[in-house]
Amino acid sequence: QVKLVESGGGLVQAGGSLKVSCEFSGRDFDTYVMGWFRQTPRKEREFVAAIDQFANSKSYADSVKGRFGISRDNAKNMFSLQMSSLKPEDTAVYYCAASRSVVTTKREADYFYWGQGTQVTVSS
């Protein structure tokens, strides 16, 4: 059974930085593509970033390219999203997710396991 738990959300001023992390409990972490999604009350959940099994490939939503960085530590069963130059429109609940895809994927339907989410609020 896979369980994902996010941490590190909070309140930050526009232009600031914040790191959210996700702890993976279960077997074979290094066989999963890991992704971050986010959702606000007014919008559907949207893709943010994904990283393949050995961090050889990363993909980002256009809205966060150049500002966010995804990473993983297979020895610790952890992966993270470093967010910088944050904007008020980055305010959302951020979810981590795990996929059995063989390549990074932006499709929500490809992710089978999800965390409960962590709130990130960017004040203007």
Side-chain angles (χ1 to χ4, degrees), residues 2-4 22-29 32 34 77 98:
V2 171
K3 183 179 179 182
L4 301 174
C22 182
E23 181 178 4
F24 176 103
S25 297
R27 296 177 61 181
D28 303 325
F29 175 63
Y32 289 89
M34 303 304 297
N77 283 13

Side-chain angles (χ1 to χ4, degrees), residues 6-10 20-21 36 92-96 115-121:
E6 300 95 341
S7 62
V20 289
S21 296
W36 287 98
V93 177
Y94 283 71
Y95 297 90
C96 64
Q116 293 300 305
T118 185
Q119 177 70 47
V120 172
T121 302

Side-chain angles (χ1 to χ4, degrees), residues 2-6 22-24 29 32-37 45 47 49-51 70 72 79 94-100 105 107-117:
V2 171
K3 183 179 179 182
L4 301 174
V5 178
E6 300 95 341
C22 182
E23 181 178 4
F24 176 103
F29 175 63
Y32 289 89
V33 163
M34 303 304 297
W36 287 98
F37 290 75
R45 190 154 53 186
F47 169 79
I51 187 168
I70 190 170
R72 68 188 293 162
F79 80 113
Y94 283 71
Y95 297 90
C96 64
S99 170
R100 282 293 196 182
T105 174
R107 286 176 10 108
E108 185 174 338
D110 289 337
Y111 291 83
F112 190 75
Y113 299 105
W114 292 83
Q116 293 300 305

Side-chain angles (χ1 to χ4, degrees), residues 17-119:
S17 298
L18 196 65
K19 184 177 182 179
V20 289
S21 296
C22 182
E23 181 178 4
F24 176 103
S25 297
R27 296 177 61 181
D28 303 325
F29 175 63
D30 60 4
T31 66
Y32 289 89
V33 163
M34 303 304 297
W36 287 98
F37 290 75
R38 66 187 182 186
Q39 187 171 22
T40 66
R42 297 183 179 182
K43 294 173 66 175
E44 294 184 351
R45 190 154 53 186
E46 64 176 6
F47 169 79
V48 176
I51 187 168
D52 75 357
Q53 287 81 352
F54 294 99
N56 293 319
S57 176
K58 304 173 184 179
S59 59
Y60 297 93
D62 288 342
S63 58
V64 306
K65 261 179 203 174
R67 301 188 298 121
F68 289 12
I70 190 170
S71 61
R72 68 188 293 162
D73 186 338
N74 286 350
K76 296 181 179 179
N77 283 13
M78 295 279 293
F79 80 113
S80 300
L81 185 70
Q82 178 68 50
M83 303 179 287
S84 58
S85 301
L86 281 160
K87 305 174 182 179
E89 51 263 43
D90 294 318
T91 295
V93 177
Y94 283 71
Y95 297 90
C96 64
S99 170
R100 282 293 196 182
S101 174
V102 294
V103 295
T104 58
T105 174
K106 301 180 179 182
R107 286 176 10 108
E108 185 174 338
D110 289 337
Y111 291 83
F112 190 75
Y113 299 105
W114 292 83
Q116 293 300 305
T118 185
Q119 177 70 47

